[in-house]
């Protein structure tokens, strides 16, 4: 059941050395491309990175919070064309969570690395760093990077008792 996937999904930041095979990468591609977008505009583009040197460099996109990309066999850099859609952030985010849930379903681990609105260092944004590294045209904004690989850590599902039911309001706030 879909709810089991949601229960199982945790952010995994440690990966084994095992590469993803072509069949798995094909599923990653299909999942990204099946993600719904506002008005079906599909303002996203995806850079699938498997080159270990590039993965190392992507892991340095931020001073902290993207280090896990270094030991992943694959990362998806999710870009949105802000000239095509004003809700590219939402569209990119849906693709990101979809591919994380695919990873969970396949027994893989994944983690989201936030790029948009985050600094690389005092003078450069994480977006500018990634754009320059991957030769991304400037009209394409960098939303996030999702790293995927075979998990080298396990995490328990968040117990149901931890879910904050007070966040859900019935009829009125
Ligand atoms: C919008 C968003 C941005 C995130 N950015 C990062 C990030 O930059 N680095 C990181 O290690 N994890 C990042 N995460 C993962 C969260 O830290 C993680 O989902 C949260 O702590 C809950 O843990 P769980 O995913 O194991 O349930 C991000 C998650 C989301 C949804």
């Amino acid at each position: 059941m879909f709810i089991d996937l949601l229960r199982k999904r945790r952010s995994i930041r440690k990966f084994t050395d095992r590469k993803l095979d072509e069949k798995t990468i094909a599923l990653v591609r299909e999942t990204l491309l099946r993600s719904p977008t506002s008005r079906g505009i599909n303002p996203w583009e995806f850079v699938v990175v498997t080159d270990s040197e590039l993965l190392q460099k992507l892991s340095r996109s931020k001073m902290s919070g993207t280090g896990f990309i270094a030991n992943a066999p694959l990362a998806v850099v999710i870009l949105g064309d802000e000239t095509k859609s004003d809700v590219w952030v939402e569209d990119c985010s849906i693709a990101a969570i979809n591919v994380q849930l695919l990873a969970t379903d396949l027994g893989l681990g994944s983690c989201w690395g936030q790029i948009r609105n985050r600094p690389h260092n005092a003078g450069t944004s994480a977006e500018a760093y990634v754009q320059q590294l991957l030769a991304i045209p400037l009209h394409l904004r960098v939303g996030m990077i999702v790293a995927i690989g075979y998990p080298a850590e396990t995490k328990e599902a968040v117990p149901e008792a931890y879910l904050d039911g007070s966040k859900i309001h019935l009829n009125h706030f």
Side-chain angles (χ1 to χ4, degrees), residues 81-116:
D81 188 336
E82 62 180 349
T83 69
K84 287 189 179 158
S85 175
D86 59 343
V87 289
W88 64 270
V89 175
E90 288 84 343
D91 292 339
C92 288
S93 299
I94 290 168
I97 192 63
N98 274 357
V99 83
Q100 286 204 269
L101 290 170
L102 171 81
T104 305
D105 192 38
L106 296 175
L108 300 169
S110 72
C111 190
W112 177 314
Q114 181 67 22
I115 298 299
R116 187 182 69 91

Side-chain angles (χ1 to χ4, degrees), residues 6-33:
L6 298 179
R7 287 174 179 150
K8 259 196 269 173
R9 188 216 53 80
R10 295 296 313 275
S11 294
I12 296 298
R13 300 182 178 86
K14 292 182 182 146
F15 305 98
T16 70
D17 290 340
R18 187 171 165 192
K19 304 276 178 230
L20 302 191
D21 61 23
E22 282 307 317
K23 219 170 124 191
T24 304
I25 295 175
L27 292 174
V28 166
R29 290 160 54 97
E30 180 177 351
T31 297
L32 295 169
L33 296 174

